[in-house]
Amino acid sequence: MSVLDKIKGALKGHEAQANQAVDKAGDMIDQKTGNKFQSQVDMVQDQAKKQIGETPPTDGS
């Protein structure tokens, strides 16, 4: 079992919180670097979210 599989298993059921953490970490990096690497950070955030998995849609009614 790879490390990535272990992480996915640990995050199962907590995808929304993991995605929020990815967003928060990316925002912190952008802030610390003055948005100098914003496009690269966004790309890494997107890839991390794909690995974590999509969050189920919430009913907005």
Side-chain angles (χ1 to χ4, degrees), residues 9-46:
L11 294 176
K12 189 170 184 169
H14 303 285
E15 290 87 359
Q17 292 90 345
N19 283 328
Q20 287 176 343
V22 169
D23 286 336
K24 191 171 183 178
D27 292 345
M28 184 184 70
I29 293 168
D30 285 338
Q31 180 185 12
K32 295 287 185 179
T33 62
N35 292 327
K36 186 175 180 182
F37 304 103
Q38 185 175 12
S39 63
Q40 291 92 337
V41 171
D42 290 344
M43 193 169 31
V44 171
Q45 284 177 304
D46 290 341

